[in-house]
Amino acid sequence: MKRLPAMPDEWLDRSRTVRFRFEGRTFEGLSGDSIASALWAAGQRSQGRSFKYHRVRGILSAANHDVNVMLQDGPKLNTRGDVVAVREGMDLTAVNTFGGLANDKARHLNKLSRFLPVGFYYKAFHNKRLFPLWEKMFRRITGLGVVDFSTPHIRTQKRYDFCDVLVIGAGPSGLAAALSAAEAGASVVVCDENARAGGSGLFQLGADAARRQHTASLLQQVKSNPRIRLLEGTYAGAYYADRWVPLIDENRMTKMRAKSVILASGAYEQPSVFRNNDLPGIMNGSAMQRLIYRYAVKPCSTAVVLAANADGYRVALDLLAAGAAVAAVLDMRASVPASPLADALRAKGVEILGGHAVYEAHADGKGELAGVTACRIDGAGRVVSGSQRRISCDGVAMSTGWSPAANLLYQAGTRMRFDDLLQQFVPEQLPEGVFACGKVNGVFRLESRITDGQRAGLAAAANAGFEVSASITVPAETESPSHAWPVVAHPDGKNFVDFDEDLQVKDFENAVQEGYDNIELLKRFSTVGMGPSQGKHSNMTALRILARLTGKSPQQVGTTTARPFFHPVPLSHLAGRGFSPQRHSPLHGRHAAAGAVFMQAGAWERPEYYAVPGKSRIDCIREEARRVRTAVALIDVGTLGKLEIRGPQAAEFLNRVYTGRYDNMKVGATRYAVMCDDSGVLSDEGVVARIAEDVFYFTTTSSGAATVYRELSRLNIEWKLDCGLINLTGSYSAMNLAGPASRKVLAQLTDMDLSSAAFPYLAVRTGTVAGIPARMMRVGFVGEWGYEIHIPAEYGATLWDALMKAGESSGIGPFGVEAQRLLRLEKGHLIVSQDTDGLTNPFEVGMDWAVKLDKPFFTGKRSLQIVRKMPLKRKLVGFRLGENHSGEVPKECHLIIQDGDIAGRVTSISWSPHVGRFIGLAFVLPSMSESGTAFQIRLTDGSMVNAEVCDTPFFDPKDERQKEIE
Amino acid sequence: MKLMTCPINGTRPISEFAYWGEIRPAPDADTCSDDQWAEYVFHRNGAPGVKKEWWCHTPSNTWFIAERDTEKDKVLRTFLHGDDK
């Protein structure tokens, strides 16, 4: 056992032990342990297998940013063992093995590695013939966890939140920033991906209690500040425009909108590159410190520390304090800078070797670390031959450099600059409202990080509108935290740069040799940074290698794009609940009670037809249509857009927006209206009714209601005419009472004069129906005597019931959208956006009569003048199939073929009981538009159906049904 | 998600707004040639830069004009039609 005595900030609850299984064996840990720390404490150093060569792996970062320890936890796959807390009863297996971790059948791939060169996938898939073979193999051997398809469906709610200042990262600089911003008056949220706040301030100690005390005191102040909310175990997943940051915790995503965002996200420690740098026992120095101070686990008995900065010296001191021996500190810098840290180590008898590195690591029989060969390196990082010397150890701490956790800074559009002293990219120009402090800002000394946090906190508060007077300067760094070339060459390779993808130094050399010498190309060819950790431990080193190979500076090489999300998010967090609003007409309940089968029509749910038990859909529709033609029936048309315009210039307004004339209409009349856009394309249609000299009531299509109202409002602002527009779509209910018996039914409910003389076809009248104030129009959309009755929405159901009751003896019933479509087709009436498309002009659909080009202006007029001069490209015509058509019936959008070429398409088609054939509307070439022209329609299966152009309307061409039946 | 400031309703998420298009002067329909008119109707200038555009805050049906730098992806100011002085 390697468990240490209690640490001041340890995450453990020592009163509770946790039993779990790993790879079939039972282990015991403490509550608060990560899976990896519990295993490590129990002496289990091999915890996973690598992706490509199936090499044994252990802890690398213990920071959630590598995938050495990736586990399947029941239905939860790809659990990162280095941070996920161990729970009682867990049954864990390493992903990516064939036959278990210890005896992985794919482990021999390690020996075949030279047959798996860089760009292997890339090359394999180049051969079309072999593609299926490779695909089959790759599908079997790649991929990580196993999906359990019986996993229960979880509904994850999303949450919205707001704050003045969002601080990402609760290490020393983030905590200091939060306090300063809060003291300036801002409401602050601090989030940290770790289970507990404090960051490196509570583990990068160098056995110095005073350093710990700085951060512990900041944390105490943050926790007791009422203006600060501290969110632990919560990471900022991405940065989106205008300071919108999704915060991800175990249970949900919170969409946080902040006035200022501070990135205090720190830096990722980067593995050094030498042969066998992936053996279990070799880890980042910060990982050893996390093990010691968070989990009270002694990382090893005897360590070699590979250092290139002060952090490495602190790791050595922390190891000594934890009771481990330090065999040597190998400092990759040419000489060891004088410092109290070095003095302290020397005083404890630790050998410090400047200009040294690890040449290679050696494994024991289990493939775990047993020792290293150290070597001298020259100023250019080359191994000095003959300088090799072997050192026994069971731990190597790598502390040779950092890469800023700048993912969200890049996403926010920050311009970054490579700083040669720091050997790190630092923000050069931050976007408005975004701030950075601490290591991500290139500030590494603890005191400086706290000062930098205070500076950023005040600046963020000022940006959020709080008064700030103090100005703070942060002293410049004097020591580089990162080595420019943390790479040691070795003829036998296996010096890994990317642990996710098993990429070695030579892979980069080969890729560049093959011409992939641009960072973006190199990434795609070699797959560097494309594994689950997205290059957090490899991109910086890859960039250094590419820079050296191409003779460029890191600044010139540049970085790849860091896209959201910065860390994997469970799909259930993203899926959550959708939002698609639906509209119901005021009569919805009546439809449902009458057995309506609803269909989606834009945002509306409309009755497609009313189901009758024992009858098929098509029979129900035909029966509804028959009722309209022979008796009387009622349809809800309340989804139509219903607008009113009032004022002295109301008629002028309508003259400008529709193609027809409305100034010469008599009060009490209605007129069909066609709307075009600037290019002369037919965009909407409806009926305009003149209610009074300066009041017009008009309808739009159901689907166009919202956009037409919106555009007319805009035009009214632009034109400044003396009139006002009101949208009555939602406040009015409308229904069409149609059929030969409609007048008889209506007469029972109103004392209005319904005679043809007093209320002729296409007239509008106001009065009361069943005691309800109503506007009524005599319309003929379905081709029967009928009344479109518009009333305030709250009376809709009352009127519906009254009409149904009054019509009982006439055999009344409701009819749905499908029956209406058939009836209007028999009349040859088009439906905008079904029988027209985004290019249709009024002349193509025979609406020349509705276009008044002699008006001074209307939208689309100038374009229609041009279109008028050009020959028509197509024409909408009626057609019918043969008298005894049998077999499949064409559908809307089936093509019309002439001489092997496309000559048009079907826009509507239906069986017409009146004609006794299938009838329809279709676009055809103008040369084919003559009545009687035969043509062919191609079905989906390629077979042809004969059809013939015919005159419309198919039914009652002279509108005799609208005339007085005497 | 981006924010947009409606001159009447204040700063709201962009999903509440509808974009209509750049404000462009139309040629005189009575005197311009067919080609000039077609140019106006069909051709848009996609070059990045500062543009004045019609936007609508849809829940309140408030139309206004946004001056937007499409190169810097930044809304410079928003105002009601006619308040451009």
Side-chain angles (χ1 to χ4, degrees), chain A residues 558-881:
Chain A
T559 52
T560 54
T561 312
R563 294 190 180 84
F565 276 84
F566 124 92
H567 190 76
V569 180
L571 285 177
S572 58
H573 279 42
L574 298 175
R577 219 172 266 246
F579 179 67
S580 50
Q582 269 193 341
R583 296 187 78 175
H584 282 175
S585 118
L587 301 172
H588 191 84
R590 293 295 185 276
H591 302 322
V597 174
F598 291 99
M599 61 185 269
Q600 206 67 39
W604 295 94
E605 277 207 301
R606 298 192 68 184
E608 183 188 6
Y609 65 98
Y610 297 83
V612 177
K615 271 194 179 170
S616 72
R617 169 182 176 276
I618 197 71
D619 285 344
C620 290
I621 293 165
R622 286 178 187 165
E623 176 56 27
E624 287 170 17
R626 194 195 57 79
R627 188 176 284 128
V628 176
R629 289 273 181 261
T630 59
V632 61
L634 191 59
I635 184 170
D636 180 1
V637 294
T639 57
L640 290 172
K642 298 175 284 287
L643 307 179
E644 189 170 293
I645 188 157
R646 287 170 173 263
Q649 288 187 294
E652 168 65 12
F653 185 85
L654 293 174
N655 268 359
R656 292 191 188 191
V657 299
Y658 285 112
T659 60
R661 281 194 69 170
Y662 302 94
D663 55 336
N664 61 0
M665 273 174 75
K666 292 198 178 74
V667 170
T670 70
R671 193 167 279 178
Y672 183 67
V674 175
M675 188 180 286
C676 286
D677 66 14
D678 256 339
S679 64
V681 164
L682 205 157
S683 60
D684 203 72
E685 46 125 42
V687 169
V688 172
R690 193 163 205 168
I691 304 293
E693 199 57 40
D694 58 354
V695 180
F696 291 85
Y697 180 69
F698 59 109
T699 60
T700 74
T701 59
S702 298
S703 54
T707 43
V708 169
Y709 169 63
R710 190 186 301 158
E711 171 60 359
L712 298 194
S713 318
R714 191 188 68 81
L715 290 171
N716 201 19
I717 291 168
E718 193 176 344
W719 291 337
K720 299 188 180 77
L721 293 180
D722 189 2
C723 56
L725 193 66
I726 309 155
N727 186 358
L728 298 173
T729 303
S731 46
Y732 266 51
S733 179
M735 52 201 90
N736 184 11
L737 181 71
S742 58
R743 181 157 54 163
K744 188 179 128 199
V745 173
L746 187 62
Q748 298 170 49
L749 299 173
T750 184
D751 50 12
M752 291 168 73
D753 185 350
L754 299 180
S755 71
S756 212
F759 193 171
Y761 183 46
L762 299 183
V764 59
R765 295 289 180 268
T766 53
T768 58
V769 181
I772 301 162
R775 286 173 175 171
M776 286 190 286
M777 292 181 249
R778 268 201 61 200
V779 296
F781 189 53
V782 297
E784 293 297 334
W785 193 288
Y787 302 89
E788 202 171 278
I789 310 170
H790 293 245
I791 53 161
E794 56 269 36
Y795 299 122
T798 311
L799 179 62
W800 180 272
D801 293 345
L803 288 168
M804 283 295 178
K805 190 154 189 300
E808 225 164 51
S809 60
S810 308
I812 199 171
F815 69 110
V817 174
E818 272 305 318
Q820 180 181 246
R821 272 149 79 130
L822 160 65
L823 294 164
R824 66 87 205 181
L825 181 59
E826 286 187 331
K827 281 296 283 183
H829 290 147
L830 63 81
I831 294 176
V832 168
S833 79
Q834 172 167 337
D835 300 299
T836 71
D837 57 35
L839 293 172
T840 306
N841 69 55
F843 309 132
E844 290 175 337
V845 295
M847 286 202 182
D848 313 46
W849 57 271
V851 179
K852 305 297 179 200
L853 287 173
D854 56 348
K855 285 197 296 182
F857 170 85
F858 63 86
T859 304
K861 177 188 164 188
R862 184 68 179 84
S863 293
L864 288 175
Q865 282 175 324
I866 299 171
V867 170
R868 191 72 169 155
K869 289 189 282 189
M870 304 194 290
L872 279 183
K873 287 184 182 143
R874 56 181 182 168
K875 213 163 166 23
L876 190 71
V877 296
F879 73 88
R880 57 186 186 183
L881 301 188

Side-chain angles (χ1 to χ4, degrees), chain A residues 116-354:
Chain A
L116 296 167
V118 64
F120 180 61
Y121 291 179
Y122 201 95
K123 288 169 182 161
F125 285 121
H126 261 298
N127 187 321
K128 232 182 203 172
R129 231 159 31 84
L130 293 178
F131 192 107
L133 182 85
W134 288 123
E135 188 194 358
K136 211 171 136 193
M137 189 185 105
F138 287 141
R139 284 203 189 281
R140 204 174 66 81
I141 67 168
T142 61
L144 298 170
V146 180
V147 177
D148 176 356
F149 290 100
S150 65
T151 307
H153 186 113
I154 307 163
R155 276 212 185 276
T156 314
Q157 302 285 353
K158 294 189 182 73
R159 197 158 57 183
Y160 292 83
D161 205 345
F162 301 86
C163 65
D164 293 324
V165 177
L166 171 66
V167 183
I168 298 167
S173 66
L175 293 171
L179 281 170
S180 291
E183 277 156 21
S187 77
V188 179
V189 168
V190 200
C191 68
D192 196 289
E193 61 183 315
N194 290 287
R196 298 202 193 174
S200 64
L202 296 180
F203 63 76
Q204 280 194 317
L205 304 184
D208 178 356
R211 283 172 72 88
R212 179 204 159 259
Q213 195 46 47
H214 272 306
T215 308
S217 134
L218 285 173
L219 187 53
Q220 201 44 52
Q221 292 173 62
V222 161
K223 282 183 172 166
S224 59
N225 191 312
R227 275 202 280 268
I228 303 178
R229 280 185 286 154
L230 175 63
L231 307 178
E232 294 169 316
T234 303
Y235 66 89
Y239 179 95
Y240 292 105
D242 293 336
R243 301 162 310 283
W244 193 97
V245 178
L247 301 181
I248 313 292
D249 61 32
E250 198 184 347
N251 300 315
R252 65 168 66 75
M253 170 159 75
T254 302
K255 300 177 178 184
M256 174 64 81
R257 174 83 68 180
K259 289 180 184 152
S260 304
V261 173
I262 300 176
L263 262 289
S265 42
Y268 314 115
E269 190 156 42
Q270 301 293 295
S272 319
V273 180
F274 53 86
R275 176 167 164 78
N276 291 333
N277 59 345
D278 63 334
L279 299 181
I282 303 175
M283 60 180 91
N284 287 335
S286 55
M288 290 203 172
Q289 291 169 313
R290 287 185 177 96
L291 282 180
I292 295 168
Y293 292 109
R294 288 179 173 171
Y295 307 109
V297 171
K298 186 169 142 189
C300 56
S301 304
T302 306
V304 165
V305 176
L306 179 61
N309 52 29
D311 300 318
Y313 286 70
R314 288 198 188 91
V315 173
L317 288 165
D318 287 327
L319 282 165
L320 291 173
V326 176
V329 172
L330 307 176
D331 196 323
M332 293 184 79
R333 294 172 293 188
S335 62
V336 178
S339 77
L341 295 170
D343 295 344
L345 282 171
R346 288 201 186 94
K348 288 177 193 287
V350 174
E351 186 181 17
I352 303 175
L353 299 166

